[in-house]
Amino acid sequence: MNRFSTFTALALVAALSGQACAQQSAPAPTNGGNNLPAATSQRMHKFDAQTQLQHLTKQLQLTPEQQAKIGPMLQQRDQQLEALHGDSSLKPADRRAKAMAIVQDSQSQIGGVLTQEQNDKWKAMREKAMERMQEKRGQKVPSSPGSSGG
């Protein structure tokens, strides 16, 4: 259960950052705080604010001013999620709820910096990422083969 809640929180982060996680490029050479074995880090997809900011900048054509505002928001979100991940005192359901609250708060803050057009595109990116996540989850969970939404 503990791994499931961690996966859920990270999946929410993936949805937040859009397609950055779905594009399986070479792993980022970040050693800061990543003491996980290679197999574990591949499975968990270590996220970092700088990579997410670069992806959002490219996809949403962020201005330098927007980048300067959104970068710290992403860093704060990542720090909060990492601290939450390390908090073993919480039950999995509580951890999941807190992670969702952190991500939603971050989304709200970032949305306040974006134009309406950027917000619309970002929302579509997040929805598409959630669909992909659900499809991947559906591959691992036995279910009826004809139950694809859309």
Side-chain angles (χ1 to χ4, degrees):
M1 276 300 188
N2 195 5
R3 286 185 184 166
F4 180 76
S5 62
T6 301
F7 172 77
T8 302
L10 291 175
L12 288 170
V13 174
L16 174 66
S17 65
Q19 298 173 337
C21 306
Q23 297 172 351
Q24 296 284 334
S25 60
T30 57
N31 291 338
N34 189 359
N35 298 330
L36 300 172
T40 304
S41 62
Q42 286 177 353
R43 184 179 54 209
M44 290 177 50
H45 299 289
K46 179 74 174 165
F47 302 106
D48 70 281
Q50 187 61 36
T51 301
Q52 292 170 355
L53 181 60
Q54 289 173 356
H55 176 73
L56 290 175
T57 298
K58 180 179 177 184
Q59 295 298 316
L60 303 177
Q61 299 175 342
L62 299 178
T63 66
E65 183 178 279
Q66 288 174 316
Q67 291 175 48
K69 291 178 182 177
I70 292 173
M73 293 174 188
L74 292 171
Q75 289 175 343
Q76 180 184 16
R77 184 212 54 214
D78 288 355
Q79 290 171 353
Q80 290 174 333
L81 288 173
E82 195 165 322
L84 180 63
H85 174 71
D87 185 356
S88 60
S89 68
L90 292 174
K91 294 180 182 177
D94 294 337
R95 184 176 295 144
R96 187 171 31 254
K98 197 165 184 177
M100 289 173 59
I102 291 169
V103 170
Q104 287 174 351
D105 182 50
S106 174
Q107 287 177 346
S108 176
Q109 290 176 5
I110 292 169
V113 175
L114 301 177
T115 66
Q116 185 60 48
E117 182 180 330
Q118 289 170 325
N119 258 315
D120 292 343
K121 186 171 183 179
W122 187 45
K123 180 179 178 183
M125 288 166 54
R126 291 191 323 260
E127 288 173 356
K128 188 173 182 178
M130 287 299 289
E131 288 173 10
R132 278 194 311 271
M133 181 188 72
Q134 289 172 349
E135 287 173 7
K136 286 182 181 183
R137 184 186 296 166
Q139 292 172 356
K140 294 182 180 183
V141 177
S143 64
S144 58
S147 63
S148 63

